[in-house]
Amino acid sequence: MTAAASLWADKEKLILEASSLPELTHLEHELFGRKGGLMTVALAELKKLPPAKMKAAAQELNEWKTKLADLIDQRRKALAVPSNAQLKDADRIDPTLELPKREQGHLHLIPEFIRQVEEVFGRMGFDVARGPEVETEEYNFNLLNIPPTHPARDAQDTFWVKTAGEEKKVLRTHTSPVQIRYMRTHKPPFRAIFPGKVYRKDADATHSPMFHQFEGLMVGKDISLANMKAVMITAIRSLISPKAEFRFRTGFFPFVEPGLEVDMRWQGNDEQSREGKWLEIVGCGMVHPQVLRNGGVDPAKWQGFAFGFGIERMIMIKHQIPDLRSFFEGDLRFLRQF
Ligand code: DAH
C-alpha cells in the first residue's frame, strides 16, 4: 500500500469507529475542509504530478474521496439513532428479559370434534361433503320420505324461512338432506359423511335451537346392517372411548327401513346419575328404497345404510358435560378446560 493509501485506510477506520456525531464532524472537517482538508489538498496537488502518473493517481484518489464521503454519511445516520445506553430508563430495552407469554388459543370443542370425526371416518374411506343450512322443504322433508303430516314438520319444531319465491324453505332440521344432494351428484358405490349445523325450536339442558350433527351414508352392492354396526362401533369407540357402552334398539325414521336408534350410557357424577342413564346419540338404518330412488340410485342394484349423530350429545358423554347450553355461552372458564 502506498503511503497515501494507508493514510486514507486509517481515516476509513476512524470513521467506522467514530462513536459520536461531534467526533465524526471533526473527521469530516479534517478530510474535506475547504482550507487544509487532507483530501482537498491532495486533490489540488495532483496537478503537480507528471502527466504520465497523474491519471492513475487521480483515479485512485477519487475512489477514496467517494468512499470516505459515503462512509461519513452512513455513519452519521447510524449515530443519529440513540443507542440503548443513551435512552432514558423508561425507553431502554432489556434484551435479557423474557417476553411476556402470548396466550395460545385453540379450537372450540365442537369444530375440534368435527375434525376428529372427519379423520376417523377418513381412515375408513369416507368422503366429507357439506350442504346448505337454508334448505328447501323438498330436500329437508319430501325427498326423505317425510310425509306432510309427519310431526317433524310441525311449526313447533321447524324454523320456516320467509321467501319471495314459490319454494318453501327451512333452516334444515337435520343433516339428512345432504344424503339426497350427495346421491344426486355421485355415482355409487360411495361412502361419505356430512357434518354441520342444524336448527330446531328447542331449548333445555339437552336441546339447543342450533346444534350439530353428522350424517353418514354408505351405498354399495351388498352393504348390510352388519357393516353399519361395524362402522358405527369403530367410530364411537375411537371418538368417545374404547370402553363406551351403547345399545342398538329399533326406531322409526321415514327415510330408513329398518330403522335403529343407538343410546349411550351417560354417567354423571351426582348420586342420581351414578347408575347411568341412556342418552340417544344417533338414528340409523338401511336407506329406504324410495329415498335411494329420489337420489337417482336404483334400489334394485344398490343398497346402503345411513346414520345421523348428534355431535353435542357425543361430546357431553365424552367429557361428562351436564348441560348442552355450556357449548354456546362463550364462557372461557368452560372453554379453556378442553
Ligand atoms: N335425521 C334424523 C334426526 O335428525 C337422524 C337420523 C336418523 C339420520 C336415521 C339418519 C338415519 O341418517 O338413518 O333426528
Side-chain angles (χ1 to χ4, degrees):
M1 204 185 274
T2 61
S6 93
L7 169 72
W8 305 129
D10 279 351
K11 297 298 172 194
E12 174 183 12
K13 197 157 165 264
L14 289 175
I15 294 169
L16 292 172
E17 285 168 1
S19 61
S20 70
L21 287 171
E23 193 183 330
L24 190 67
T25 309
H26 179 79
L27 274 167
E28 185 178 33
H29 194 75
E30 194 187 8
L31 281 167
F32 297 109
R34 245 195 261 165
K35 275 189 198 153
L38 293 170
M39 184 60 76
T40 320
V41 173
L43 286 165
E45 287 187 343
L46 278 175
K47 277 186 247 148
K48 295 183 189 161
L49 290 175
K53 285 194 178 166
M54 192 165 92
K55 196 170 171 213
Q59 193 178 351
E60 190 191 341
L61 199 56
N62 270 307
E63 273 165 18
W64 275 111
K65 182 186 158 192
T66 321
K67 182 172 183 188
L68 295 174
D70 284 352
L71 282 177
I72 287 173
D73 271 359
Q74 284 168 22
R75 192 72 197 129
R76 178 169 284 122
K77 283 189 190 120
L79 286 172
V81 178
S83 76
N84 212 18
Q86 291 165 325
L87 288 172
K88 283 183 284 171
D89 275 350
D91 297 328
R92 204 168 290 163
I93 296 163
D94 181 349
T96 65
L97 276 183
E98 232 182 276
L99 287 173
K101 284 239 171 1
R102 251 210 276 157
E103 199 181 343
Q104 281 249 312
H106 61 81
L107 280 181
H108 184 277
L109 72 174
I110 292 178
E112 146 111 323
F113 189 79
I114 293 178
R115 287 197 183 180
Q116 289 165 10
V117 169
E118 292 177 0
E119 196 194 307
V120 166
F121 280 91
R123 276 191 250 129
M124 292 191 275
F126 281 71
D127 185 16
V128 180
R130 288 167 215 275
E133 287 172 30
V134 178
E135 188 52 285
T136 62
E137 182 185 29
E138 182 78 356
Y139 275 96
N140 196 79
F141 296 124
N142 305 2
L143 295 169
L144 289 168
N145 230 9
I146 305 176
T149 51
H150 194 278
R153 294 205 189 196
D154 201 322
Q156 298 293 316
D157 290 336
T158 305
F159 289 105
W160 292 90
V161 177
K162 280 202 181 121
T163 46
E166 287 288 283
E167 204 165 33
K168 282 171 89 178
K169 293 202 166 170
V170 298
L171 292 186
R172 67 176 177 193
T173 57
H174 51 180
T175 43
S176 303
V178 193
Q179 286 188 36
I180 306 284
R181 293 185 176 274
Y182 195 88
M183 284 193 275
R184 288 189 168 182
T185 47
H186 295 78
K187 276 203 161 49
F190 47 64
R191 52 185 102 167
I193 54 162
F194 319 123
K197 293 186 170 63
V198 300
Y199 302 83
R200 281 181 214 173
K201 286 187 195 168
D202 246 348
D204 62 35
T206 48
H207 297 88
S208 142
M210 184 280 297
F211 59 104
H212 297 74
Q213 289 187 334
F214 70 90
E215 196 80 11
L217 175 67
M218 180 164 182
V219 172
K221 287 268 184 237
D222 44 24
I223 303 295
S224 70
L225 273 187
N227 300 129
M228 183 188 85
K229 283 181 82 172
V231 166
M232 290 174 70
I233 291 172
T234 306
I236 294 173
R237 291 214 169 118
S238 45
L239 287 166
I240 300 182
S241 150
K243 286 189 271 179
E245 272 186 82
F246 41 82
R247 63 180 186 194
F248 286 79
R249 58 187 166 81
T250 53
F252 173 73
F253 302 96
F255 34 93
V256 282
E257 182 55 43
L260 299 161
E261 285 176 43
V262 184
D263 301 329
M264 274 200 66
R265 173 100 70 177
W266 156 261
Q267 269 163 327
N269 293 321
D270 55 313
E271 202 56 45
Q272 234 186 344
S273 56
R274 180 97 23 96
E275 281 297 292
K277 54 185 177 208
W278 295 99
L279 201 57
E280 185 197 331
I281 57 162
V282 47
C284 53
M286 296 302 290
V287 183
H288 194 287
Q290 186 55 45
V291 173
L292 288 174
R293 232 172 268 126
N294 293 344
V297 173
D298 181 355
K301 288 197 197 138
W302 304 100
Q303 59 186 28
F305 62 79
F307 52 76
F309 277 90
I311 291 181
E312 284 81 356
R313 297 269 180 102
M314 292 177 87
I315 305 178
M316 286 169 79
I317 292 169
K318 181 170 183 174
H319 295 299
Q320 313 241 306
I321 299 167
D323 193 327
L324 182 144
R325 289 167 288 201
S326 337
F327 288 114
F328 309 117
E329 282 166 349
D331 186 336
L332 291 176
R333 289 168 304 180
F334 169 75
L335 296 172
R336 282 197 179 117
Q337 298 175 69
F338 305 101

